[in-house]
Amino acid sequence: MVKRPAALNMADLAERAGVSIATVSRALSGSPGVSQETRQRIKELADDLSYAVSPDAARLARGSTGRIAVVTPDVAHWFYAAMLSGIVTALHGTDLDVLLYEVKDEPQRRRFFEDLPARRQVDALILVALPISDDERRRLDLMGVTVVMAGGTLGEHPHVRIDDVAAGRQAATHLVRAGHQRIAMINSSGTWSLEYAAPSARQRGFTEALEAGGIEVHPDLVIHHQWGSHGGVKGMSELLSLPEPPTAVVTFSDEVAFGALRTLRRAGVSVPYAMSVIGIDDHHLADMFDLTTVHQPVAQQGIEAGRLAQQILEQGEVASPHITLPTHLVARGTSGPPPPGPGVRAGLPLNDHGVG
Amino acid sequence: MVKRPAALNMADLAERAGVSIATVSRALSGSPGVSQETRQRIKELADDLSYAVSPDAARLARGSTGRIAVVTPDVAHWFYAAMLSGIVTALHGTDLDVLLYEVKDEPQRRRFFEDLPARRQVDALILVALPISDDERRRLDLMGVTVVMAGGTLGEHPHVRIDDVAAGRQAATHLVRAGHQRIAMINSSGTWSLEYAAPSARQRGFTEALEAGGIEVHPDLVIHHQWGSHGGVKGMSELLSLPEPPTAVVTFSDEVAFGALRTLRRAGVSVPYAMSVIGIDDHHLADMFDLTTVHQPVAQQGIEAGRLAQQILEQGEVASPHITLPTHLVARGTSGPPPPGPGVRAGLPLNDHGVG
């Protein structure tokens, strides 16, 4: 295995090229706003620098391998799997193959980026909602590998994402308009030291919607649990333990909502008569839970990310490297007006959680 | 693009090598029971034959690329995604990378196998529950590419699977032992012209369990719908339309069960008091539906398949190339004894579908 390259950074490259760091970033990421001549000069300089460090990296920077690496935190999880499926769909019929890397935790992520110059032979990297460090970003820039972020942002690099603030706002607004006054949020707690932007953005939208409706945000009604259905199971149990539980809940994701619904079912709390629940995602099974939710186009984000990568490899750049896809409300059976009385405390009868 | 190779078959190879077709198959698939000398001779002969047809295929047969292709019918579906995740996990820390191919329908499958010799550079192929034709099998054999089937069988080739007859039997036996007499099955209808073995195998197990319990299999209680939750929605509607509906239902998969449960909830049929439902899979969300099911180790099948491929590439063969992993009952809240009276026809009150 080739020795791991010494750390280099974009500032060195900017200094040598006599341009700003932002220009270097744009040039290497294929973003517009850089002249063809400058782009070429910076790329050649990056190649030279890389060459001094690793012949493999230089080959990566110059040659075409016909392969794109997709890096995902979890192959089995529906969200990442749907993104991956979109990417594969976009590249179908092109000459590009997909190399798949799963990076489950920080040590695996570090190892992946350490091994990349020595071993991986790819023209581009699509990160599927994978936060990376500044140092890792600089390494990718210097290798001259096109990097696209699907389901998030990564500095100046091309990305495809949703507006998470808007998604949180749409979910909470639906409950505000239905007349709820005590609205909770079961948000996701981070598991990485590098933060995902989605939880704080969705919470911002939630807060904005309540404030716009003149509704107070109670700090004890905004709680954090681990992402996934079991986080929802625990979160709803916590909310039901409050002296004054909410009458409506926004969850970080549909899977959190599925768990919340199971707790409500087991607790005999009628949905939506005593408690409304709304998710964010429109998971492919949301309909089986009759879950009201905010739809985000997951596979479509993958498709757009695959297209961006392919176009940059083919044409050197794209006109619009930063794509935000819209989200929208999907009203199903788990949301309705607040109960006439005090909600859960009224001991409404056990009932079906999702009337059709 | 290199011209597509002319069709060759294993019989030609067997004739030239002076051995049986079964020996050729075993030699090329890395199965035991073939002397090292014979294996070598057949591989060389296969290489020569391939060489005459396609230089790329010959390079594939001789050189090592450090890559394994995983071919799956649906990247986004949890079952295939979990298998893929297992394969990736098994290859983590090895020198092998994963190239991912999605093959959604017959034209895509045909194109994949046509392009394979010209374009794909892999040491091995892992098929994730993907049925292929005899002609495609022969092509792979002649290319000298190691082929492993995950989630099914493929002639003499190494495979990892579950016993689908046993899974169907375990599901139905649970309902027989609970005292049910009118037991239905919502089975999966095929969508490929090449048949998956699972639906007929699970139905065989279902039938065996009923017969062992002295219970008649009513032909109108065994119905077929498309695989997935919407198949379950329709299937349960069909069963509820019968003059005499069942008191218990085995579904082909958990997703079919999720759909069946939604129909029951909307129809106001109490689960498990008026109707028991059992799935097969133990889907990662089965617990959120309180679904009783038969667990199959999906990711583990992927892990074992990845290990088989890796060991065959490293050692030339494996001692046990045919692995069947066990399944077992997971009792949750959707199954119980039959209703005292005539079941659905008794108009039992609306109730929660899955008491905890």
Side-chain angles (χ1 to χ4, degrees):
Chain A
M1 190 171 293
V2 172
K3 195 163 165 290
R4 181 179 155 194
L8 285 174
N9 66 50
M10 242 190 288
D12 294 340
L13 195 55
E15 202 186 322
R16 294 213 204 184
V19 298
S20 70
I21 294 178
T23 301
V24 171
S25 173
R26 274 197 291 271
L28 293 175
S29 67
S31 305
V34 185
S35 74
Q36 198 53 43
E37 186 200 3
T38 305
R39 188 188 306 278
Q40 192 56 34
R41 192 160 50 86
I42 291 170
K43 282 200 165 173
E44 277 165 16
L45 200 57
D47 283 359
D48 292 346
L49 283 173
S50 297
Y51 191 80
V53 177
S54 154
D56 285 298
R59 182 164 45 74
L60 278 175
R62 276 196 307 262
S64 167
T65 65
R67 284 184 288 271
I68 289 185
V70 177
V71 194
T72 167
D74 189 348
V75 169
H77 190 277
W78 81 273
F79 179 81
Y80 303 107
M83 283 266 191
L84 177 60
S85 161
I87 295 167
V88 167
T89 299
L91 299 177
H92 219 277
T94 72
D95 280 335
L96 294 162
D97 284 334
V98 170
L99 272 175
L100 179 64
Y101 298 101
E102 188 180 56
V103 158
K104 282 212 155 166
D105 51 28
E106 306 248 353
Q108 284 190 4
R109 205 193 71 234
R110 275 198 297 275
R111 209 173 320 126
F112 172 77
F113 283 101
E114 283 169 18
D115 288 355
L116 191 63
R119 176 179 162 199
R120 318 292 171 181
Q121 303 173 9
V122 295
D123 299 337
L125 218 69
I126 301 178
L127 303 175
V128 181
L130 182 79
I132 65 171
S133 72
D134 289 347
D135 186 56
E136 286 154 355
R137 259 172 68 184
R138 281 191 291 270
R139 178 169 304 189
L140 291 173
D141 289 340
L142 282 173
M143 282 173 59
V145 173
T146 296
V147 182
V148 174
M149 176 66 89
T153 61
L154 186 71
E156 294 276 343
H157 285 281
H159 68 238
V160 186
R161 60 172 195 123
I162 59 162
D163 180 342
D164 284 294
V165 177
R169 196 189 301 120
Q170 287 163 343
T173 298
H174 175 64
L175 301 176
V176 169
R177 288 186 180 159
H180 291 273
Q181 293 284 329
R182 285 188 64 77
I183 305 176
M185 180 171 191
I186 306 177
N187 203 355
S188 167
S189 57
T191 51
W192 296 62
S193 67
L194 292 172
E195 265 315 310
Y196 281 100
S200 61
R202 291 181 189 180
Q203 188 170 329
R204 187 138 39 93
F206 168 87
T207 303
E208 285 176 16
L210 267 60
E211 286 173 351
I215 294 167
E216 196 187 342
V217 177
H218 297 278
D220 58 338
L221 292 185
V222 178
I223 62 176
H224 292 78
H225 282 271
Q226 209 176 335
W227 184 30
S229 54
H230 290 282
V233 165
K234 287 183 201 158
M236 186 55 83
S237 297
E238 187 182 332
L239 291 175
L240 291 180
S241 307
L242 293 173
E244 201 180 338
T247 62
V249 180
V250 173
T251 61
F252 171 75
S253 70
D254 282 6
E255 279 174 290
V256 173
F258 299 160
L261 289 174
R262 195 188 78 174
T263 293
L264 291 169
R265 203 167 64 225
R266 290 188 176 184
V269 175
S270 168
V271 175
Y273 308 111
M275 182 84 77
S276 286
V277 175
I278 183 169
I280 295 175
D281 273 343
D282 203 13
H283 185 288
H284 66 101
L285 287 174
D287 193 22
M288 295 301 124
F289 286 94
D290 280 315
L291 180 68
T292 295
T293 189
V294 171
H295 175 85
Q296 71 159 314
V298 184
Q300 192 60 35
Q301 288 176 75
I303 288 174
E304 300 286 351
R307 282 185 190 150
L308 278 182
Q310 196 255 333
Q311 284 169 10
I312 292 168
L313 292 180
E314 206 169 81
Q315 301 155 21
E317 66 178 322
V318 288
S320 306
H322 300 136
I323 298 173
T324 301
L325 295 179
T327 56
H328 64 83
L329 176 72
V330 179
R332 293 196 185 98
T334 61
S335 60
V344 169
R345 289 173 299 157
L348 290 184
L350 180 73
N351 204 336
D352 173 44
H353 81 257
V355 287
Chain B
M1 188 169 292
V2 173
K3 196 166 162 292
R4 182 180 155 195
L8 283 173
N9 67 51
M10 239 191 287
D12 293 340
L13 196 56
E15 200 186 324
R16 293 214 205 184
V19 298
S20 71
I21 294 177
T23 301
V24 171
S25 173
R26 273 197 293 271
L28 293 176
S29 67
S31 307
V34 185
S35 75
Q36 198 53 44
E37 186 200 3
T38 304
R39 188 185 307 278
Q40 192 58 34
R41 193 159 51 87
I42 291 170
K43 283 198 166 176
E44 278 165 16
L45 200 55
D47 283 0
D48 291 346
L49 283 175
S50 299
Y51 191 82
V53 177
S54 154
D56 283 298
R59 181 163 48 70
L60 278 173
R62 277 196 304 262
S64 166
T65 65
R67 285 184 288 271
I68 289 185
V70 177
V71 193
T72 167
D74 189 349
V75 169
H77 191 276
W78 81 274
F79 178 82
Y80 303 107
M83 284 264 191
L84 178 59
S85 162
I87 293 167
V88 168
T89 299
L91 299 178
H92 219 277
T94 72
D95 281 334
L96 293 163
D97 284 333
V98 170
L99 272 176
L100 178 64
Y101 298 101
E102 187 180 59
V103 160
K104 282 210 156 168
D105 51 28
E106 307 247 352
Q108 284 189 4
R109 205 194 69 232
R110 273 197 297 273
R111 210 175 317 125
F112 172 78
F113 282 101
E114 282 168 17
D115 288 356
L116 191 63
R119 179 179 160 197
R120 321 288 173 183
Q121 302 172 8
V122 296
D123 299 337
L125 218 71
I126 301 179
L127 304 176
V128 182
L130 182 78
I132 65 171
S133 72
D134 289 346
D135 186 56
E136 285 153 355
R137 261 172 67 185
R138 280 191 291 270
R139 178 170 302 189
L140 291 172
D141 290 339
L142 282 174
M143 282 174 60
V145 173
T146 296
V147 182
V148 174
M149 176 64 89
T153 62
L154 186 71
E156 294 276 342
H157 285 281
H159 68 240
V160 187
R161 60 173 195 123
I162 60 163
D163 180 342
D164 284 296
V165 177
R169 196 189 301 120
Q170 286 163 343
T173 299
H174 174 64
L175 301 175
V176 169
R177 287 187 182 158
H180 291 274
Q181 293 283 330
R182 284 187 66 75
I183 305 175
M185 179 171 193
I186 305 176
N187 203 355
S188 167
S189 56
T191 52
W192 296 64
S193 67
L194 291 172
E195 267 314 310
Y196 281 100
S200 60
R202 291 180 190 180
Q203 187 170 329
R204 187 138 40 94
F206 168 86
T207 303
E208 285 176 17
L210 266 60
E211 286 173 355
I215 293 167
E216 195 186 343
V217 178
H218 297 279
D220 58 338
L221 292 184
V222 178
I223 62 177
H224 292 78
H225 282 271
Q226 210 177 332
W227 184 29
S229 54
H230 289 282
V233 164
K234 287 184 201 158
M236 187 55 84
S237 296
E238 186 181 332
L239 291 175
L240 291 180
S241 307
L242 292 174
E244 201 180 338
T247 62
V249 179
V250 173
T251 60
F252 172 75
S253 71
D254 281 6
E255 279 174 290
V256 173
F258 300 161
L261 289 173
R262 195 189 78 175
T263 292
L264 291 169
R265 203 166 65 226
R266 291 189 174 183
V269 175
S270 167
V271 175
Y273 307 112
M275 182 84 76
S276 286
V277 175
I278 182 168
I280 294 174
D281 274 342
D282 204 14
H283 186 287
H284 66 102
L285 287 173
D287 194 23
M288 295 302 124
F289 286 94
D290 282 315
L291 180 68
T292 296
T293 189
V294 170
H295 175 84
Q296 68 158 317
V298 184
Q300 193 60 35
Q301 288 175 74
I303 289 175
E304 300 286 351
R307 283 185 189 149
L308 278 183
Q310 196 256 331
Q311 285 170 9
I312 292 168
L313 291 179
E314 205 170 81
Q315 300 155 20
E317 66 177 322
V318 288
S320 304
H322 300 136
I323 299 174
T324 301
L325 295 179
T327 56
H328 64 84
L329 177 72
V330 179
R332 294 197 186 98
T334 60
S335 59
V344 168
R345 289 173 298 157
L348 290 183
L350 182 71
N351 205 336
D352 172 45
H353 84 256
V355 287

mmCIF file of all heavy atoms in Angstrom, chain A residues 229-256:
data_model
loop_
_atom_site.group_PDB
_atom_site.id
_atom_site.type_symbol
_atom_site.label_atom_id
_atom_site.label_comp_id
_atom_site.label_asym_id
_atom_site.label_seq_id
_atom_site.Cartn_x
_atom_site.Cartn_y
_atom_site.Cartn_z
ATOM 1 N N SER A 229 -36.969 4.269 14.760
ATOM 2 C CA SER A 229 -38.254 3.947 15.373
ATOM 3 C C SER A 229 -38.147 3.800 16.890
ATOM 4 O O SER A 229 -39.057 4.200 17.616
ATOM 5 C CB SER A 229 -38.838 2.684 14.735
ATOM 6 O OG SER A 229 -37.921 1.628 14.780
ATOM 7 N N HIS A 230 -37.029 3.263 17.367
ATOM 8 C CA HIS A 230 -36.918 3.080 18.820
ATOM 9 C C HIS A 230 -36.753 4.417 19.549
ATOM 10 O O HIS A 230 -37.195 4.554 20.689
ATOM 11 C CB HIS A 230 -35.807 2.081 19.154
ATOM 12 C CG HIS A 230 -36.191 0.687 18.760
ATOM 13 N ND1 HIS A 230 -37.048 -0.085 19.511
ATOM 14 C CD2 HIS A 230 -35.906 -0.042 17.646
ATOM 15 C CE1 HIS A 230 -37.248 -1.251 18.894
ATOM 16 N NE2 HIS A 230 -36.572 -1.244 17.762
ATOM 17 N N GLY A 231 -36.172 5.394 18.867
ATOM 18 C CA GLY A 231 -36.149 6.742 19.414
ATOM 19 C C GLY A 231 -37.562 7.293 19.573
ATOM 20 O O GLY A 231 -37.882 7.978 20.558
ATOM 21 N N GLY A 232 -38.423 6.980 18.615
ATOM 22 C CA GLY A 232 -39.812 7.426 18.686
ATOM 23 C C GLY A 232 -40.587 6.737 19.801
ATOM 24 O O GLY A 232 -41.420 7.355 20.477
ATOM 25 N N VAL A 233 -40.312 5.436 19.986
ATOM 26 C CA VAL A 233 -40.946 4.685 21.081
ATOM 27 C C VAL A 233 -40.640 5.370 22.412
ATOM 28 O O VAL A 233 -41.534 5.641 23.217
ATOM 29 C CB VAL A 233 -40.411 3.219 21.102
ATOM 30 C CG1 VAL A 233 -40.749 2.529 22.431
ATOM 31 C CG2 VAL A 233 -40.982 2.439 19.921
ATOM 32 N N LYS A 234 -39.371 5.698 22.618
ATOM 33 C CA LYS A 234 -38.941 6.311 23.885
ATOM 34 C C LYS A 234 -39.433 7.751 23.989
ATOM 35 O O LYS A 234 -39.851 8.198 25.052
ATOM 36 C CB LYS A 234 -37.418 6.283 23.984
ATOM 37 C CG LYS A 234 -36.869 4.898 24.253
ATOM 38 C CD LYS A 234 -35.356 4.970 24.413
ATOM 39 C CE LYS A 234 -34.723 3.614 24.182
ATOM 40 N NZ LYS A 234 -33.312 3.717 23.819
ATOM 41 N N GLY A 235 -39.322 8.488 22.886
ATOM 42 C CA GLY A 235 -39.710 9.898 22.913
ATOM 43 C C GLY A 235 -41.171 10.073 23.279
ATOM 44 O O GLY A 235 -41.521 10.926 24.105
ATOM 45 N N MET A 236 -42.041 9.245 22.677
ATOM 46 C CA MET A 236 -43.467 9.392 22.977
ATOM 47 C C MET A 236 -43.756 8.974 24.422
ATOM 48 O O MET A 236 -44.599 9.587 25.091
ATOM 49 C CB MET A 236 -44.300 8.576 21.988
ATOM 50 C CG MET A 236 -45.799 8.787 22.135
ATOM 51 S SD MET A 236 -46.325 10.536 22.039
ATOM 52 C CE MET A 236 -46.423 10.773 20.265
ATOM 53 N N SER A 237 -43.041 7.954 24.908
ATOM 54 C CA SER A 237 -43.206 7.569 26.321
ATOM 55 C C SER A 237 -42.838 8.742 27.224
ATOM 56 O O SER A 237 -43.514 9.003 28.227
ATOM 57 C CB SER A 237 -42.323 6.361 26.650
ATOM 58 O OG SER A 237 -42.730 5.243 25.896
ATOM 59 N N GLU A 238 -41.778 9.437 26.867
ATOM 60 C CA GLU A 238 -41.356 10.589 27.661
ATOM 61 C C GLU A 238 -42.428 11.682 27.642
ATOM 62 O O GLU A 238 -42.771 12.251 28.689
ATOM 63 C CB GLU A 238 -40.027 11.122 27.098
ATOM 64 C CG GLU A 238 -39.395 12.218 27.945
ATOM 65 C CD GLU A 238 -38.094 12.742 27.322
ATOM 66 O OE1 GLU A 238 -37.421 11.983 26.592
ATOM 67 O OE2 GLU A 238 -37.763 13.919 27.576
ATOM 68 N N LEU A 239 -42.974 11.947 26.467
ATOM 69 C CA LEU A 239 -44.004 12.994 26.367
ATOM 70 C C LEU A 239 -45.270 12.621 27.137
ATOM 71 O O LEU A 239 -45.912 13.471 27.753
ATOM 72 C CB LEU A 239 -44.343 13.265 24.892
ATOM 73 C CG LEU A 239 -43.240 13.931 24.058
ATOM 74 C CD1 LEU A 239 -43.664 14.028 22.593
ATOM 75 C CD2 LEU A 239 -42.882 15.312 24.609
ATOM 76 N N LEU A 240 -45.627 11.319 27.110
ATOM 77 C CA LEU A 240 -46.826 10.877 27.831
ATOM 78 C C LEU A 240 -46.619 10.938 29.342
ATOM 79 O O LEU A 240 -47.584 10.889 30.109
ATOM 80 C CB LEU A 240 -47.215 9.452 27.414
ATOM 81 C CG LEU A 240 -47.753 9.270 25.984
ATOM 82 C CD1 LEU A 240 -48.086 7.802 25.726
ATOM 83 C CD2 LEU A 240 -48.980 10.138 25.732
ATOM 84 N N SER A 241 -45.369 11.012 29.780
ATOM 85 C CA SER A 241 -45.063 11.068 31.216
ATOM 86 C C SER A 241 -45.148 12.481 31.768
ATOM 87 O O SER A 241 -45.077 12.677 32.984
ATOM 88 C CB SER A 241 -43.648 10.531 31.474
ATOM 89 O OG SER A 241 -43.496 9.254 30.908
ATOM 90 N N LEU A 242 -45.258 13.465 30.888
ATOM 91 C CA LEU A 242 -45.315 14.859 31.359
ATOM 92 C C LEU A 242 -46.620 15.116 32.120
ATOM 93 O O LEU A 242 -47.642 14.489 31.824
ATOM 94 C CB LEU A 242 -45.233 15.820 30.160
ATOM 95 C CG LEU A 242 -43.907 15.864 29.394
ATOM 96 C CD1 LEU A 242 -44.051 16.730 28.152
ATOM 97 C CD2 LEU A 242 -42.785 16.379 30.293
ATOM 98 N N PRO A 243 -46.569 16.050 33.075
ATOM 99 C CA PRO A 243 -47.807 16.411 33.770
ATOM 100 C C PRO A 243 -48.875 16.879 32.769
ATOM 101 O O PRO A 243 -50.046 16.564 32.911
ATOM 102 C CB PRO A 243 -47.376 17.574 34.674
ATOM 103 C CG PRO A 243 -45.905 17.488 34.782
ATOM 104 C CD PRO A 243 -45.407 16.807 33.550
ATOM 105 N N GLU A 244 -48.441 17.593 31.758
ATOM 106 C CA GLU A 244 -49.383 18.056 30.744
ATOM 107 C C GLU A 244 -48.854 17.687 29.359
ATOM 108 O O GLU A 244 -48.135 18.473 28.727
ATOM 109 C CB GLU A 244 -49.561 19.575 30.844
ATOM 110 C CG GLU A 244 -50.841 20.077 30.213
ATOM 111 C CD GLU A 244 -50.979 21.599 30.331
ATOM 112 O OE1 GLU A 244 -50.348 22.191 31.225
ATOM 113 O OE2 GLU A 244 -51.690 22.180 29.510
ATOM 114 N N PRO A 245 -49.203 16.491 28.866
ATOM 115 C CA PRO A 245 -48.679 16.055 27.564
ATOM 116 C C PRO A 245 -49.182 16.960 26.438
ATOM 117 O O PRO A 245 -50.172 17.665 26.606
ATOM 118 C CB PRO A 245 -49.247 14.645 27.406
ATOM 119 C CG PRO A 245 -49.633 14.208 28.775
ATOM 120 C CD PRO A 245 -50.061 15.462 29.489
ATOM 121 N N PRO A 246 -48.495 16.909 25.291
ATOM 122 C CA PRO A 246 -48.946 17.693 24.136
ATOM 123 C C PRO A 246 -50.199 17.069 23.522
ATOM 124 O O PRO A 246 -50.578 15.952 23.867
ATOM 125 C CB PRO A 246 -47.770 17.572 23.170
ATOM 126 C CG PRO A 246 -47.154 16.256 23.498
ATOM 127 C CD PRO A 246 -47.304 16.100 24.985
ATOM 128 N N THR A 247 -50.834 17.791 22.602
ATOM 129 C CA THR A 247 -51.947 17.215 21.827
ATOM 130 C C THR A 247 -51.506 16.886 20.403
ATOM 131 O O THR A 247 -52.266 16.302 19.639
ATOM 132 C CB THR A 247 -53.135 18.202 21.741
ATOM 133 O OG1 THR A 247 -52.708 19.391 21.053
ATOM 134 C CG2 THR A 247 -53.629 18.570 23.136
ATOM 135 N N ALA A 248 -50.281 17.293 20.066
ATOM 136 C CA ALA A 248 -49.780 17.036 18.713
ATOM 137 C C ALA A 248 -48.260 16.982 18.753
ATOM 138 O O ALA A 248 -47.622 17.680 19.544
ATOM 139 C CB ALA A 248 -50.243 18.128 17.757
ATOM 140 N N VAL A 249 -47.682 16.139 17.875
ATOM 141 C CA VAL A 249 -46.237 15.932 17.877
ATOM 142 C C VAL A 249 -45.688 15.930 16.456
ATOM 143 O O VAL A 249 -46.226 15.233 15.578
ATOM 144 C CB VAL A 249 -45.863 14.591 18.554
ATOM 145 C CG1 VAL A 249 -44.352 14.382 18.562
ATOM 146 C CG2 VAL A 249 -46.407 14.535 19.973
ATOM 147 N N VAL A 250 -44.654 16.724 16.233
ATOM 148 C CA VAL A 250 -43.852 16.632 15.013
ATOM 149 C C VAL A 250 -42.671 15.720 15.327
ATOM 150 O O VAL A 250 -42.021 15.902 16.352
ATOM 151 C CB VAL A 250 -43.307 18.020 14.597
ATOM 152 C CG1 VAL A 250 -42.337 17.893 13.415
ATOM 153 C CG2 VAL A 250 -44.446 18.972 14.252
ATOM 154 N N THR A 251 -42.394 14.745 14.463
ATOM 155 C CA THR A 251 -41.215 13.899 14.681
ATOM 156 C C THR A 251 -40.154 14.231 13.644
ATOM 157 O O THR A 251 -40.483 14.650 12.526
ATOM 158 C CB THR A 251 -41.562 12.401 14.577
ATOM 159 O OG1 THR A 251 -42.066 12.135 13.269
ATOM 160 C CG2 THR A 251 -42.600 12.012 15.620
ATOM 161 N N PHE A 252 -38.899 14.001 14.010
ATOM 162 C CA PHE A 252 -37.801 14.303 13.097
ATOM 163 C C PHE A 252 -37.957 13.567 11.775
ATOM 164 O O PHE A 252 -37.627 14.093 10.714
ATOM 165 C CB PHE A 252 -36.461 13.919 13.730
ATOM 166 C CG PHE A 252 -35.314 13.998 12.763
ATOM 167 C CD1 PHE A 252 -34.789 15.224 12.382
ATOM 168 C CD2 PHE A 252 -34.777 12.852 12.187
ATOM 169 C CE1 PHE A 252 -33.753 15.310 11.462
ATOM 170 C CE2 PHE A 252 -33.745 12.930 11.263
ATOM 171 C CZ PHE A 252 -33.233 14.156 10.905
ATOM 172 N N SER A 253 -38.442 12.323 11.838
ATOM 173 C CA SER A 253 -38.572 11.506 10.620
ATOM 174 C C SER A 253 -39.767 10.573 10.773
ATOM 175 O O SER A 253 -40.308 10.411 11.869
ATOM 176 C CB SER A 253 -37.310 10.666 10.405
ATOM 177 O OG SER A 253 -37.241 9.650 11.395
ATOM 178 N N ASP A 254 -40.149 9.952 9.675
ATOM 179 C CA ASP A 254 -41.268 9.004 9.720
ATOM 180 C C ASP A 254 -40.976 7.818 10.625
ATOM 181 O O ASP A 254 -41.861 7.323 11.310
ATOM 182 C CB ASP A 254 -41.568 8.484 8.301
ATOM 183 C CG ASP A 254 -42.355 9.483 7.476
ATOM 184 O OD1 ASP A 254 -42.576 10.610 7.958
ATOM 185 O OD2 ASP A 254 -42.744 9.134 6.347
ATOM 186 N N GLU A 255 -39.730 7.355 10.624
ATOM 187 C CA GLU A 255 -39.425 6.197 11.465
ATOM 188 C C GLU A 255 -39.601 6.538 12.942
ATOM 189 O O GLU A 255 -40.068 5.717 13.732
ATOM 190 C CB GLU A 255 -38.016 5.683 11.188
ATOM 191 C CG GLU A 255 -38.001 4.821 9.952
ATOM 192 C CD GLU A 255 -36.607 4.404 9.564
ATOM 193 O OE1 GLU A 255 -35.835 5.275 9.124
ATOM 194 O OE2 GLU A 255 -36.277 3.226 9.709
ATOM 195 N N VAL A 256 -39.237 7.741 13.321
ATOM 196 C CA VAL A 256 -39.488 8.186 14.689
ATOM 197 C C VAL A 256 -40.999 8.184 14.948
ATOM 198 O O VAL A 256 -41.466 7.757 16.008
ATOM 199 C CB VAL A 256 -38.871 9.579 14.926
ATOM 200 C CG1 VAL A 256 -39.272 10.111 16.296
ATOM 201 C CG2 VAL A 256 -37.348 9.533 14.801
#
